[in-house]
């Protein structure tokens, strides 16, 4: 079973509270989502393998470490996942970015895939699927299934907020996937929105409502 990692660092909790605030405008919302994503990426990448190398300082030669093993891929679930990409790329500029477009049909809440472009070598990469909201879990579960169909094997899911329902869906559908979240909220409402949540992440990022 994949693990659920609740990242409760004070900086993340502080910024998340401003993100939740309905009076926070699109510019601050975007910047804060990027900052929280950067901070979360620090934890998500904690188990990256290192290899020993020699480095020459101005004083002498010494032992150092560089990232080894698999390279990283970041896969935002469109649209709202896009808001999390730049924060991660600031930490791991060499990561490749794939895109998966999934929207929730508003009536059935079922995920519909409308776009997919992934790096050729996803088999060889540690993949971080990003989406701010894990609500029913349908979108993330579908996105991960599409990535597996195309060869992805090492997958983590990183979200700002999750509902318990969404976590249960991912645990059942993808027990190999670790989930990283900044908060686990109380419940979903009758329209599948996370409560207390932050509203519609895509609309708040892109100012579409
Ligand atoms: C939102 C969000 C997730 C999904 C979560 O996207 O960004 O992808 O809903 O809900 P679920 O866990 O119940 O599937 P939305 O479908 O609103 O599309 P958007 O990002 O284009 O706004
Ligand atoms: N998608 C969102 O953007 N917000 C929610 O609360 C649930 C799904």
């Amino acid at each position: 079973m994949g693990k659920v990692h609740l990242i409760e660092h004070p900086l993340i909790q502080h910024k998340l509270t401003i993100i939740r605030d309905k009076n926070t405008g699109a510019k601050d919302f975007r910047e804060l989502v990027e900052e929280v994503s950067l901070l979360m990426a620090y934890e998500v990448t904690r188990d990256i393998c290192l290899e020993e190398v020699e480095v020459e300082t101005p004083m002498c030669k010494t032992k150092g470490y560089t990232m080894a093993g698999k390279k990283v891929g970041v896969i935002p679930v469109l649209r709202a996942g896009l808001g999390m990409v730049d924060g991660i790329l600031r930490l791991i500029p060499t990561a490749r970015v794939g895109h998966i477009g999934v929207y929730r049909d508003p009536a059935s809440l079922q995920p519909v895939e409308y776009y997919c472009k992934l790096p050729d070598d996803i088999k060889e990469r540690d993949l971080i699927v990003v989406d701010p909201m894990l609500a029913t879990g349908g979108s993330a579960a579908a996105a991960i299934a599409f990535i597996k169909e195309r060869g992805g094997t090492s997958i983590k899911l990183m979200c700002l907020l999750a509902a318990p329902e969404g976590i249960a869906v991912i645990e059942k559908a993808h027990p190999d996937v670790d989930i990283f979240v900044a908060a686990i909220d109380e419940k979903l409402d009758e329209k599948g929105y996370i409560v207390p949540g932050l509203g519609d992440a895509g609309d708040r990022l892109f100012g579409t409502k």
Side-chain angles (χ1 to χ4, degrees), residues 150-165:
R150 288 158 173 108
T153 53
S154 167
I155 303 172
K156 291 174 178 166
L157 174 64
M158 173 173 146
C159 306
L160 299 189
L161 299 185
E165 294 89 331

Side-chain angles (χ1 to χ4, degrees), residues 23-185:
N23 296 312
T24 299
K27 176 177 180 289
D28 288 341
F29 188 91
R30 267 196 301 275
E31 287 174 5
L32 287 159
V33 168
E34 183 179 326
E35 285 172 19
V36 169
S37 303
L38 181 151
L39 294 168
M40 290 183 77
Y42 184 79
E43 278 302 320
V44 174
T45 54
R46 185 172 279 284
D47 61 355
I48 279 182
C49 296
L50 294 175
E51 69 188 353
E52 201 177 297
V53 292
E54 188 180 77
V55 59
E56 191 166 355
T57 77
M59 314 302 291
C60 64
K61 286 186 177 166
T62 185
K63 194 167 71 172
Y65 299 92
T66 58
M67 280 164 55
K70 286 186 170 178
K71 300 213 162 45
V72 175
V74 182
I75 306 182
V77 180
L78 306 180
R79 289 175 299 169
L82 286 174
M84 300 176 74
V85 173
D86 286 351
I88 303 174
L89 289 181
R90 278 170 61 194
L91 280 190
I92 317 170
T94 54
R96 295 282 162 85
V97 182
H99 296 87
I100 288 210
V102 179
Y103 69 86
R104 289 199 311 182
D105 181 83
S108 67
L109 299 185
Q110 288 307 302
V112 183
E113 189 198 46
Y114 63 90
Y115 186 79
C116 185
K117 182 79 183 167
L118 301 175
D120 288 344
D121 58 353
I122 56 165
K123 281 190 188 71
E124 281 101 56
R125 289 184 180 267
D126 285 324
L127 303 171
I128 309 171
V129 176
V130 295
D131 191 329
M133 311 302 280
L134 182 63
T136 65
S139 305
I144 293 168
F146 297 139
I147 292 165
K148 287 182 175 174
E149 276 168 24
R150 288 158 173 108
T153 53
S154 167
I155 303 172
K156 291 174 178 166
L157 174 64
M158 173 173 146
C159 306
L160 299 189
L161 299 185
E165 294 89 331
I167 290 177
V169 164
I170 299 298
E171 283 179 329
K172 181 146 188 270
H174 301 291
D176 54 314
V177 171
D178 276 16
I179 306 170
F180 294 78
V181 288
I184 300 173
D185 277 10

Side-chain angles (χ1 to χ4, degrees), residues 80 104 133-136 188 192-195 197-203:
R104 289 199 311 182
M133 311 302 280
L134 182 63
T136 65
L188 296 176
Y193 275 81
I194 298 177
V195 180
L198 54 74
D200 189 301
D203 285 338

